[in-house]
Amino acid sequence: MAPATNAEIASVLAKAGTALNPQGGLPVSTNRLSKFEAEGHDHPGFWGEQTSTIDWCERNYVVTPYIAEFWNTISNSAFILVGLMGMVQAIRHRYEPRFVLIGLGIMIVGFGSSAFHGTLLFEYQMADELPMIWSIMVWNYAMFLCESTKTTVKHTVTATICATYAIVYSVMHVYFAFTTTFQLNFALMTLISGYILHRQCCEHTGASFIPFVRVRKRLPSEHFNTKEIQNLYSLCWHYAVVITSALAVWLIDQHACDVLHNLPFGIPNPQLHAWWHVLCGYNCHLGLQLSIGLREKVLNKTRLPQTIWYGEVWPITNRGGKDEKSED
């Protein structure tokens, strides 16, 4: 069979909303374009023509000609710092490798997202979105197996399913340049992780962080009457509140972009997508500390994990708090 010509390949890609990149490399999107503000407000910049499938509400090259979306770029420092701190914490305290991988994934997302928002090029969009998929699969793996204390077939099957899904989706995403599908897929993965996390919080703190949801099966109340358990629950509801707030600003940034650029009294655009990055970075930190706490509670039956809140806003969880049977 003769190899496919460029014209034949281009025809197939066109049906999927992509095209051959004239400069070589990855195909580029021809689904023009998820853009949240009318044309005419952007400035020309160093990185040339945009090839990404999304152009966010922040106007391009306004602050500097070398960074397409300045605030959306620098706000990713939240992911980089949180990921680095998580890795250092996990290595220093000799936590399981899963927590090192979670921290590494958060940091890689930060670098990839910085490259994407700084250039608005398709290849760097992939450097942002593909690590998001892999990172949340590692998170789901860690939370799904939180109760398991021995390596079993369940670990292998779960890891295989997560890795296979991430690989298949990554290949499809690169060549079909999903936009809405990617967002829906990531939302589904987030909902799954939220469901698993909710179950773990109910099991280990005796309470739900969702209003009006009651825990059906509870241990005796004295089991939860410790500062350590109360701190774990505090992490649970902080996580839920912050991710909900982040989702709200993300949606407002997309659906009220024109309004945000025309606020009364000359108020500038608050750059809500940048705040989405900051809130999600903080949420990643909360999630990492919570997952460490829940896991340590499973692994150490006699000593509860200890969470210290610095300035009432920055929690750090360590193993070996109070004995579980002792009084507060």
Side-chain angles (χ1 to χ4, degrees), residues 208-266:
S208 168
F209 56 72
I210 300 176
F212 311 114
V213 173
R214 299 182 63 183
V215 179
R216 294 182 179 179
K217 184 178 180 181
R218 293 191 54 168
L219 295 174
S221 58
E222 61 269 16
H223 178 83
F224 303 104
N225 190 27
T226 66
K227 182 177 180 180
E228 287 76 13
I229 294 298
Q230 292 169 5
N231 277 334
L232 275 183
Y233 178 70
S234 181
L235 280 173
C236 290
W237 74 259
H238 272 86
Y239 180 92
V241 169
V242 172
I243 193 63
T244 302
S245 302
L247 178 61
V249 301
W250 183 77
L251 291 172
I252 293 171
D253 183 73
Q254 293 190 43
H255 297 286
C257 183
D258 287 326
V259 174
L260 294 173
H261 280 300
N262 295 279
L263 295 173
F265 310 111

Side-chain angles (χ1 to χ4, degrees), residues 100-289:
V100 179
L101 289 178
I102 290 174
L104 178 62
I106 295 169
M107 188 167 61
I108 292 174
V109 168
F111 282 118
S113 185
S114 295
F116 166 40
H117 288 286
T119 65
L120 293 179
L121 298 178
F122 180 74
E123 50 265 42
Y124 295 120
Q125 181 182 352
M126 295 299 100
D128 173 20
E129 294 175 349
L130 296 185
M132 289 172 63
I133 296 298
W134 283 88
S135 295
I136 200 166
M137 296 310 292
V138 172
W139 165 262
N140 284 344
Y141 169 86
M143 293 307 299
F144 183 72
L145 296 174
C146 181
E147 297 290 334
S148 180
T149 58
K150 296 181 180 180
T151 301
T152 62
V153 175
K154 183 179 180 180
H155 286 74
T156 304
V157 172
T158 303
T160 301
I161 292 173
C162 290
T164 301
Y165 182 88
I167 291 170
V168 172
Y169 184 86
S170 296
V171 172
M172 293 178 63
H173 188 47
V174 167
Y175 284 98
F176 293 104
F178 299 128
T179 300
T180 303
T181 302
F182 168 77
Q183 294 174 349
L184 292 174
N185 173 74
F186 190 76
L188 176 62
M189 294 299 102
T190 303
L191 286 173
I192 292 174
S193 66
Y195 171 74
I196 298 172
L197 180 63
H198 181 256
R199 288 184 56 188
Q200 297 294 340
C201 285
C202 291
E203 175 70 22
H204 293 285
T205 70
S208 168
F209 56 72
I210 300 176
F212 311 114
V213 173
R214 299 182 63 183
V215 179
R216 294 182 179 179
K217 184 178 180 181
R218 293 191 54 168
L219 295 174
S221 58
E222 61 269 16
H223 178 83
F224 303 104
N225 190 27
T226 66
K227 182 177 180 180
E228 287 76 13
I229 294 298
Q230 292 169 5
N231 277 334
L232 275 183
Y233 178 70
S234 181
L235 280 173
C236 290
W237 74 259
H238 272 86
Y239 180 92
V241 169
V242 172
I243 193 63
T244 302
S245 302
L247 178 61
V249 301
W250 183 77
L251 291 172
I252 293 171
D253 183 73
Q254 293 190 43
H255 297 286
C257 183
D258 287 326
V259 174
L260 294 173
H261 280 300
N262 295 279
L263 295 173
F265 310 111
I267 299 174
N269 184 345
Q271 307 299 345
L272 294 185
H273 193 80
W275 284 107
W276 152 262
H277 289 159
V278 173
L279 288 171
C280 283
Y282 181 49
N283 189 252
C284 287
H285 175 72
L286 293 173
L288 181 57
Q289 300 309 309

